Amino acid sequence: MSTPSAANPLPSSPIQVRGACPHDCPDTCALITTVDDNGVAIRVQGNPDHRHTDGALCAKVSKYTERSYHPERVLTPLKRTGAKGSGLFEPVSWDNALADIAQRLQSIAARAPEAILPYSYAGTMGMVQGESMDRRFFHQLGASLLDRTICASAGAEALTQTLGGKVGMKVEFFAESQLILIWGSNSIGSNLHFWRYAQQAKRNGARLVCIDPRKSETADKCHEHIALRPGTDAALALALMHELIAHDWLDHDYIARYTLGWEQLRERALQWPPERAAEICGIPVEQIRQLAHDYGTTKPAAIRLNYGMQRVRGGGNAVRAVACLPALTGAWRHRAGGMLLSSSGQFPAQRAVLQRPDLLPAKTPRTINMTTIGDDLLREASPTFGPKVEAIVVYNSNPVAVAPDSGKVVRGFAREDLFTVVLEHFQTDTADYADYILPATTQLEHWDVHLSYGHTDVVLNRPAIQPLGEARSNAQIFRDLAARMGFADPCFADTDEALCRQAFGDAVDYALLQSQGFATVAIPDALFAEGNFPSPSGKCEFYSARLAAQGLDGLPDHLPNYELQGTDARYPLAMISPPARNFLNSTFVNVTSLRNIEGRPILEIHPDDAEARGIANDAVVRVFNDRGSYQCHATVSRRARPGVVNGLGIWWRKLGLDGTNVNEVTSQALTDLGRAPTFYDCLVEVETCAEPAVSS
């Protein structure tokens, strides 16, 4: 394969360019983009030479050319001309936009640099366009730090406190497992390439069990579905431990050699007989007993967790409890045993080199949690909070659509005194509130390098086409702003490709990345067969002294939801908001072909709950609680368990039925560990609407 270069920026004949999928998905696929002799990308496909991708892409990314060449791409800087939220802008030059933005930020920074806030997440998972020059810029500026918690931090903290880091078994060895628990994951929609390994195991005789409140597409294809109540995963895990102990389905040698806190955990687990957990989880007691038997007696057994299960009050404890199970049975002895939530901690990334925290001022700036942005944009200055947020720079995120309690988020972004800059591909819900929208490149148009949280390969992304219009990469935009603001450190001159080389330094063979597009991190097949966990003790820590030192419970436990079903007669239904299959968070919602497949915003409701409310299939309903309400179409379906409704998301608000979306009713309350959001810890009521509202 040939690629564009600085000397020959456009291809002279059809070529294929190696790249990487940038999106928030465990699979981190290796891509091949075919570019015609006019320099136009005509096809994006999976790289067949990359074993995890194996030539296959999800329906979303296979439409990537449709997204890059979308007629609504923002291709020139835009300046607001109407009221915030009106979506009225006019084109301006880069020179004028950068000069005005730099002047506004400098004026604020001269008084109170912490009044400036960056806001970003995983719109791209790339290390260059997501966490390099941007961090350098805000560190030099002395801006507030952002606690990036909105997806995975509860589970990440739980893994760190139990195993020592975001580590787990190699995904390819699930193909050799004899029992796979798919826990809190709709793998067919959100982890397609793991699902292919699970299917291989199934063909070889493995049993697949899906543990999920929703009867997902993945549950349809498993041997068994355990439809527990939202937020009760820790109770189920503790009951499994109880049965492992009661029936002596334990690996005593592994426990003695490679774990810490066994006696304390044993005492805790024995408080959780299956009958107690069955009542809390809302599932048959025999289902718990059978699952414990299968897990305790099948070798090798593996668990694939995903992040849905940790989006409740006790989400961190739930992940801790599940993460203890493989050490109890010695499943880690086998390369096809253990568990996987995230593999991202197994990469030798040089984040300090990329992000340059040494540029921070001597007094570390305050940290603002991205999950509570709705409250924080509405706070006045105070001794405890610090200065009022006067400027926000948003990139790789769409907080008006994706952050919880979105009525408050909208009010915050609507402040006329909040200077807002948004780097974007499209005029999203958040971009509508910007003072400036700066056109950013898509993955086909820039350099980047990616690690993964679902496998252990580094993947390089080369630009396949020239940037469309006046689009610039995120890193280039922050380089340009740094130059306008007179930042003199040589690091602000590093090119995007130089940043790619810095991401892993000599720890990854960059020449191999260039030649084949990916490079595998060398780690043992059975990573924890003899302990060697990256925890302080080197063991799986059932009991965490670090948590105890914080005044928290050192052992995992079940923590009931903040909004526990049955505690508020006004809102009798629990709601979870898993992703719609054809979207990825709020990305791809404006891709016409995918939105046409998805159809419209829907709420899955069990027939019993629908009948009690007089709700017919396809009716327009209002979902509401004290925080707000939104409208969508009801799908009467047994995919929802009784008492639980599934609000599939995340639609752009402006494309919803009434200009809102599911996050109008979700909460800013935080999880037990990791300061993460509790999207699935939410009580609502549902009623029919006489006439659907029309979105503005």
Side-chain angles (χ1 to χ4, degrees), residues 8 16 66 77 99 124 147 163 263 294 349 372 383 421 453 492 522 532 539 655 684:
N8 182 26
Q16 291 187 317
E66 185 177 341
T124 175
D147 199 4
L163 307 180
E263 289 302 326
D294 292 348
T372 58
V421 178
Y453 63 96
F492 291 105
N532 297 314
K539 299 179 178 182
L655 297 176
V684 300

Short mmCIF file of all heavy atoms in Angstrom, two decimals, residues 8 16 66 77 99 124 147 163 263 294 349 372 383 421 453 492 522 532 539 655 684:
data_model
loop_
_atom_site.label_atom_id
_atom_site.label_comp_id
_atom_site.label_asym_id
_atom_site.label_seq_id
_atom_site.Cartn_x
_atom_site.Cartn_y
_atom_site.Cartn_z
N ASN A 8 4.04 14.39 -1.83
CA ASN A 8 3.04 14.02 -2.83
C ASN A 8 1.69 13.91 -2.12
O ASN A 8 1.21 12.83 -1.82
CB ASN A 8 3.42 12.66 -3.46
CG ASN A 8 2.43 12.26 -4.54
OD1 ASN A 8 1.79 13.11 -5.14
ND2 ASN A 8 2.32 10.96 -4.77
N GLN A 16 -4.65 2.49 -1.42
CA GLN A 16 -5.27 2.07 -0.16
C GLN A 16 -4.38 2.55 0.99
O GLN A 16 -3.16 2.38 0.95
CB GLN A 16 -5.44 0.55 -0.11
CG GLN A 16 -6.50 0.05 -1.10
CD GLN A 16 -6.79 -1.43 -0.91
OE1 GLN A 16 -5.87 -2.23 -0.74
NE2 GLN A 16 -8.05 -1.79 -0.94
N GLU A 66 -19.55 8.37 4.23
CA GLU A 66 -20.78 9.17 4.28
C GLU A 66 -20.69 10.24 5.35
O GLU A 66 -21.19 11.35 5.18
CB GLU A 66 -21.97 8.24 4.55
CG GLU A 66 -23.32 8.93 4.50
CD GLU A 66 -24.49 7.98 4.71
OE1 GLU A 66 -24.32 6.76 4.54
OE2 GLU A 66 -25.58 8.48 5.06
N PRO A 77 -14.41 28.24 9.70
CA PRO A 77 -14.75 28.77 11.02
C PRO A 77 -16.05 29.56 10.98
O PRO A 77 -16.32 30.27 10.00
CB PRO A 77 -13.56 29.66 11.37
CG PRO A 77 -12.43 29.12 10.55
CD PRO A 77 -13.06 28.65 9.28
N ALA A 99 -7.55 35.06 16.32
CA ALA A 99 -7.17 36.30 17.00
C ALA A 99 -8.17 36.64 18.10
O ALA A 99 -7.79 37.01 19.22
CB ALA A 99 -7.07 37.44 16.00
N THR A 124 -12.87 11.22 19.65
CA THR A 124 -11.83 10.38 19.08
C THR A 124 -11.06 9.77 20.24
O THR A 124 -10.79 10.45 21.23
CB THR A 124 -10.87 11.14 18.16
OG1 THR A 124 -9.82 10.23 17.75
CG2 THR A 124 -10.25 12.34 18.83
N ASP A 147 -11.99 16.42 35.06
CA ASP A 147 -12.07 15.03 35.48
C ASP A 147 -12.92 14.30 34.45
O ASP A 147 -14.14 14.49 34.40
CB ASP A 147 -12.71 14.96 36.87
CG ASP A 147 -12.42 13.66 37.60
OD1 ASP A 147 -11.66 12.83 37.07
OD2 ASP A 147 -12.97 13.47 38.70
N LEU A 163 -7.29 -5.36 40.83
CA LEU A 163 -6.22 -6.01 40.06
C LEU A 163 -4.97 -5.16 39.97
O LEU A 163 -3.90 -5.67 39.64
CB LEU A 163 -6.72 -6.34 38.64
CG LEU A 163 -8.02 -7.13 38.54
CD1 LEU A 163 -8.36 -7.38 37.07
CD2 LEU A 163 -7.93 -8.45 39.30
N GLU A 263 -9.84 -14.00 53.92
CA GLU A 263 -10.69 -14.28 55.09
C GLU A 263 -11.78 -13.22 55.24
O GLU A 263 -12.93 -13.53 55.57
CB GLU A 263 -9.85 -14.38 56.36
CG GLU A 263 -8.98 -15.63 56.43
CD GLU A 263 -9.79 -16.91 56.35
OE1 GLU A 263 -10.93 -16.93 56.86
OE2 GLU A 263 -9.29 -17.89 55.75
N ASP A 294 -22.12 -23.70 37.35
CA ASP A 294 -21.46 -23.69 36.04
C ASP A 294 -20.13 -22.95 36.12
O ASP A 294 -19.12 -23.41 35.57
CB ASP A 294 -22.37 -23.03 35.00
CG ASP A 294 -23.61 -23.85 34.71
OD1 ASP A 294 -23.67 -25.03 35.11
OD2 ASP A 294 -24.54 -23.30 34.08
N ALA A 349 2.10 3.40 27.13
CA ALA A 349 1.89 4.76 26.63
C ALA A 349 2.70 5.76 27.44
O ALA A 349 2.83 5.64 28.66
CB ALA A 349 0.40 5.11 26.70
N THR A 372 -20.72 16.65 36.19
CA THR A 372 -21.54 17.66 36.88
C THR A 372 -21.49 19.00 36.16
O THR A 372 -21.71 20.05 36.79
CB THR A 372 -21.08 17.81 38.34
OG1 THR A 372 -19.69 18.18 38.37
CG2 THR A 372 -21.26 16.51 39.10
N PRO A 383 -15.44 30.66 47.60
CA PRO A 383 -14.16 30.16 48.11
C PRO A 383 -13.97 28.66 47.88
O PRO A 383 -12.84 28.20 47.69
CB PRO A 383 -14.22 30.50 49.60
CG PRO A 383 -15.17 31.65 49.69
CD PRO A 383 -16.19 31.40 48.63
N VAL A 421 -16.17 27.97 22.78
CA VAL A 421 -15.54 27.58 21.51
C VAL A 421 -15.74 26.07 21.35
O VAL A 421 -15.49 25.31 22.29
CB VAL A 421 -14.04 27.92 21.51
CG1 VAL A 421 -13.38 27.46 20.20
CG2 VAL A 421 -13.83 29.41 21.74
N TYR A 453 -8.98 -0.55 24.41
CA TYR A 453 -9.37 -1.12 25.69
C TYR A 453 -10.05 -2.48 25.52
O TYR A 453 -10.61 -3.02 26.45
CB TYR A 453 -10.23 -0.16 26.52
CG TYR A 453 -11.57 0.27 25.97
CD1 TYR A 453 -12.74 -0.39 26.35
CD2 TYR A 453 -11.71 1.38 25.14
CE1 TYR A 453 -13.98 0.03 25.91
CE2 TYR A 453 -12.95 1.81 24.69
CZ TYR A 453 -14.08 1.13 25.08
OH TYR A 453 -15.32 1.56 24.63
N PHE A 492 5.28 23.11 21.57
CA PHE A 492 4.11 23.57 20.82
C PHE A 492 4.36 23.60 19.31
O PHE A 492 3.45 23.90 18.55
CB PHE A 492 3.67 24.95 21.33
CG PHE A 492 3.11 24.90 22.72
CD1 PHE A 492 3.84 25.37 23.80
CD2 PHE A 492 1.85 24.36 22.96
CE1 PHE A 492 3.34 25.32 25.09
CE2 PHE A 492 1.34 24.29 24.24
CZ PHE A 492 2.08 24.77 25.32
N ALA A 522 3.74 -6.99 23.54
CA ALA A 522 4.16 -8.32 23.99
C ALA A 522 3.84 -8.49 25.48
O ALA A 522 4.47 -7.86 26.33
CB ALA A 522 5.64 -8.53 23.74
N ASN A 532 1.42 -11.86 40.00
CA ASN A 532 2.08 -10.76 39.29
C ASN A 532 1.09 -9.69 38.84
O ASN A 532 1.22 -9.10 37.77
CB ASN A 532 2.87 -11.29 38.08
CG ASN A 532 3.99 -12.22 38.49
OD1 ASN A 532 4.74 -11.91 39.42
ND2 ASN A 532 4.09 -13.36 37.83
N LYS A 539 -0.79 -8.88 44.19
CA LYS A 539 -1.84 -9.90 44.27
C LYS A 539 -3.19 -9.30 43.87
O LYS A 539 -3.35 -8.08 43.80
CB LYS A 539 -1.92 -10.44 45.71
CG LYS A 539 -0.63 -11.11 46.18
CD LYS A 539 -0.76 -11.62 47.61
CE LYS A 539 0.53 -12.33 48.06
NZ LYS A 539 0.40 -12.87 49.44
N LEU A 655 -32.92 16.53 17.08
CA LEU A 655 -33.55 15.50 16.25
C LEU A 655 -34.56 14.67 17.03
O LEU A 655 -35.13 13.73 16.51
CB LEU A 655 -32.47 14.58 15.66
CG LEU A 655 -31.47 15.27 14.72
CD1 LEU A 655 -30.40 14.29 14.26
CD2 LEU A 655 -32.18 15.90 13.52
N VAL A 684 -38.46 6.91 36.83
CA VAL A 684 -39.31 7.72 35.96
C VAL A 684 -40.75 7.22 36.03
O VAL A 684 -41.03 6.14 36.56
CB VAL A 684 -38.84 7.69 34.49
CG1 VAL A 684 -37.42 8.22 34.34
CG2 VAL A 684 -38.96 6.28 33.91
#
